[in-house]
């Protein structure tokens, strides 16, 4: 496979520098239409019950990223113009340790969301096709979609099935929300990345300081799931097969929620009412660890 250096790509296409991963970079039209179980439904743009009330129900989890005396360096590699975020870890062990043992570094999660999704502002037809700014925006949108297409193609080589993944994502969505509602931090650790687990522990602690108990239920099946973005993150500059994949999903689901104080009185919500909730979650999986599975690595505010 021929690779084009970042300098050459910038020269040929005059592509602006990639922003740091902390800056949200939006996508154009959604990569996948997804699946819909309910049509012509009036969608109330509502934050997740977990996100409301100080993110009482926010979800995520993960394994530890083991880095011994590590210094992380990040750079971008492009294959046929399609970007892969590459994170390498350099480890320096003491001379005596290097003589006695071979030091092995294991990364179970990159620890960040690469190019977080945000909606792209719609451009009028005349502005998109008859102005320089519109042409540049169109080029940027195409590049963003090509990145998603490349990541999905990489996944398919590993046996990815959109239908099967959507079913697994819906089950994870329900499971993680239930664990958060029950305050089950032990089980939650297995379903999310380490960074998400730390965030969720704090949210559960904050929620428990206000409410004694929470009831949460999701009406199955989910109303809709669709893929908004797909990204690859490499961990070895000499082996581009060692990558993590992150899929950003929009999930629409009917939910019931009710919160109680220490005396058992209802202080928030109403479990007799169904509310349509829209969440954007980012799921992550290693493509080079044997037995790897999907985990929640982040949530995008809606």
């Amino acid at each position: 496979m021929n690779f084009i250096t970042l300098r050459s790509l910038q020269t040929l296409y005059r592509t602006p520098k990639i922003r740091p991963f902390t800056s949200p970079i939006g996508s154009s039209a959604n990569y996948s239409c997804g699946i819909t179980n309910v049509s012509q439904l009036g969608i109330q743009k509502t934050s997740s019950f977990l996100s409301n009330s100080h993110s009482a129900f926010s979800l995520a989890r993960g394994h530890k990223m083991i880095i011994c005396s590590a210094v992380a360096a990040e750079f971008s590699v492009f294959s046929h113009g399609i970007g892969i975020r590459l994170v390498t870890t350099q480890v320096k062990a003491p001379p005596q340790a290097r003589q006695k043992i071979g030091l092995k570094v294991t990364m179970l999660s990159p620890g960040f969301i690469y190019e977080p999704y945000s909606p792209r502002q719609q451009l009028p037809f005349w502005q998109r096709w008859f102005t320089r700014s519109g042409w540049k925006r169109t080029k940027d949108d195409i590049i963003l979609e090509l990145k998603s297409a490349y990541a999905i193609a990489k996944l398919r080589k590993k046996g990815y099935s959109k239908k099967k993944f959507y079913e697994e994502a819906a089950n994870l969505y329900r499971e993680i929300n239930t664990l958060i509602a029950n305050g089950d931090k032990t089980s939650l650790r297995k379903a999310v990345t380490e960074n998400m687990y730390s965030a969720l522990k704090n949210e559960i602690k904050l929620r428990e300081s206000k409410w004694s108990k929470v009831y949460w239920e999701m009406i199955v099946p989910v109303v809709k799931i669709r893929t908004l973005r797909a990204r690859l993150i490499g961990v070895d500059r000499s082996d581009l097969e060692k990558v993590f994949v992150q899929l950003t999903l929009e999930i629409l689901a009917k939910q019931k929620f009710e919160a109680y104080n220490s005396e058992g009185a209802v202080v928030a919500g109403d479990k007799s009412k169904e509310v349509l909730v829209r969440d954007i979650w980012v799921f992550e999986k290693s493509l080079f660890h044997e037995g790897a599975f999907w985990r929640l690595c982040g949530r995008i505010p809606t």
Side-chain angles (χ1 to χ4, degrees):
M1 180 179 293
N2 296 325
F3 293 94
I4 303 175
T5 64
L6 179 58
R7 183 182 299 275
S8 298
L9 188 67
Q10 290 174 333
T11 302
L12 291 174
Y13 297 99
R14 298 180 182 175
T15 303
K17 292 183 179 179
I18 296 176
R19 300 180 185 176
F21 65 82
T22 52
S23 297
I25 301 179
S27 170
S28 59
N30 298 314
Y31 174 73
S32 170
C33 294
I35 55 176
T36 306
N37 295 312
V38 177
S39 61
Q40 297 179 348
L41 204 114
I43 299 175
Q44 176 184 358
K45 188 175 181 181
T46 309
S47 299
S48 169
F49 288 127
L50 308 181
S51 298
N52 287 336
S53 305
H54 302 283
S55 301
F57 277 115
S58 306
L59 318 171
R61 116 184 169 213
H63 291 70
K64 293 183 179 179
M65 178 170 63
I66 307 169
I67 301 179
C68 304
S69 303
V71 178
E74 299 172 1
F75 60 94
S76 294
V77 175
F78 286 81
S79 170
H80 298 288
I82 301 171
I84 301 176
R85 183 64 170 245
L86 188 59
V87 179
T88 61
T89 305
Q90 301 172 344
V91 178
K92 294 183 179 180
Q96 298 159 345
R98 288 198 296 266
Q99 293 174 0
K100 294 180 180 180
I101 61 172
L103 184 60
K104 184 177 180 180
V105 178
T106 302
M107 179 180 289
L108 300 180
S109 173
F112 64 90
I113 300 176
Y114 176 35
E115 293 189 347
Y117 169 84
S118 64
R120 302 284 277 180
Q121 182 181 2
Q122 295 294 326
L123 293 180
F125 177 83
W126 65 268
Q127 183 178 351
R128 178 176 287 275
W129 298 108
F130 298 103
T131 65
R132 289 185 179 274
S133 61
W135 299 338
K136 180 180 180 300
R137 166 65 181 279
T138 300
K139 181 195 71 174
D140 292 342
D141 289 347
I142 291 173
I143 291 175
L144 289 173
E145 293 307 319
L146 285 175
K147 289 182 179 181
S148 289
Y150 180 70
I152 294 296
K154 192 86 170 179
L155 261 180
R156 285 175 178 160
K157 291 181 179 179
K158 302 292 184 178
Y160 168 81
S161 164
K162 183 173 73 172
K163 180 180 179 181
K164 183 178 179 181
F165 170 67
Y166 282 179
E167 291 174 353
E168 185 176 354
N171 291 333
L172 275 173
Y173 179 79
R174 183 182 183 186
E175 175 190 353
I176 294 172
N177 273 290
T178 301
L179 293 174
I180 291 174
N182 296 336
D184 187 350
K185 293 187 285 290
T186 301
S187 299
L188 190 62
R189 180 186 288 274
K190 302 174 184 178
V192 300
T193 61
E194 187 64 21
N195 285 357
M196 274 307 301
Y197 178 69
S198 297
L200 288 178
K201 277 200 310 181
N202 293 333
E203 291 172 3
I204 292 174
K205 183 178 180 181
L206 178 61
R207 188 201 70 205
E208 290 177 342
S209 68
K210 297 180 58 179
W211 301 332
S212 177
K213 184 181 178 182
V214 166
Y215 172 87
W216 182 87
E217 178 186 356
M218 185 186 84
I219 309 302
V220 294
V222 297
V223 175
K224 182 179 180 181
I225 296 182
R226 63 172 176 166
T227 302
L228 300 178
R229 176 162 293 182
R231 291 294 182 267
L232 295 175
I233 304 174
V235 296
D236 187 343
R237 69 179 69 190
S238 62
D239 186 354
L240 295 182
E241 294 300 316
K242 292 185 177 180
V243 296
F244 289 89
V245 62
Q246 293 181 346
L247 294 186
T248 301
L249 300 185
E250 178 188 49
I251 302 175
L252 294 178
K254 291 182 178 180
Q255 303 177 12
K256 295 181 180 180
F257 166 78
E258 198 167 81
Y260 312 90
N261 61 18
S262 57
E263 298 176 353
V266 177
V267 293
D270 185 349
K271 67 179 182 180
S272 65
K273 296 181 180 180
E274 296 180 2
V275 178
L276 185 63
V277 176
R278 175 178 181 261
D279 279 317
I280 298 179
W281 282 19
V282 183
F283 293 92
E284 179 183 283
K285 181 180 180 180
S286 168
L287 297 187
F288 62 99
H289 286 112
E290 185 177 354
F293 52 89
W294 290 102
R295 299 180 297 163
L296 178 65
C297 72
R299 298 159 297 171
I300 307 294
T302 57

